[in-house]
Amino acid sequence: VQLQASGGGLVQPGGSLKLSCAASGTFFSIGVMGWYRQGPGKQRELVASITKGGTTNTVDSVMGRFTISRDSAENTVYLQMNSLKPEDTAVYYCNGVVFNPGQGFRTYWGQGTQVTVSS
């Protein structure tokens, strides 16, 4: 199972970016998918998550600015980021909880995509 994240880049404060993360490989199902970020000198932190049924959880620091969504048919999760601030600068990682019969649940991570907010 592989998760491929894309969509990062350099953007000015107040700008927008949309991250995508597509899961590929052989698996039975994917449950919760999420986005995390790790800023310079900081620990990795949760940004937002979404269940297979579409229930979302977004941290307070990005509430109202970031929106997580998913296309379950395509096994893809998105993060729409608006009104970006310099403090949103970080490497953004996606993850997904994958279920396979006989293996149970395993969490897989994408490779990370850099988001830099700067004028």
Side-chain angles (χ1 to χ4, degrees):
V1 179
Q2 289 187 327
L3 273 67
Q4 182 70 40
S6 61
L10 173 64
V11 64
Q12 292 186 343
S16 298
L17 283 174
K18 186 173 184 178
L19 306 182
S20 300
C21 176
S24 62
T26 302
F27 49 86
F28 184 77
S29 67
I30 298 181
V32 174
M33 300 186 79
W35 288 97
Y36 290 70
R37 67 185 181 185
Q38 186 167 14
K42 298 181 180 180
Q43 291 187 331
R44 190 175 299 187
E45 62 176 1
L46 173 69
V47 176
S49 63
I50 185 168
T51 68
K52 191 174 184 179
T55 300
T56 62
N57 175 43
T58 306
V59 298
D60 289 345
S61 59
V62 305
M63 186 76 72
R65 300 189 296 122
F66 291 10
T67 302
I68 190 170
S69 62
R70 70 188 283 172
D71 182 337
S72 292
E74 297 294 329
N75 296 312
T76 301
V77 63
Y78 304 96
L79 186 68
Q80 176 67 49
M81 304 185 294
N82 299 327
S83 301
L84 282 160
K85 304 175 180 180
E87 51 264 42
D88 295 319
T89 295
V91 178
Y92 284 71
Y93 299 89
C94 61
N95 78 354
V97 178
V98 172
F99 175 76
N100 277 310
Q103 298 179 13
F105 296 92
R106 290 187 61 183
T107 299
Y108 290 86
W109 290 86
Q111 83 284 10
T113 184
Q114 176 71 47
V115 172
T116 302
V117 185
S118 175
S119 55

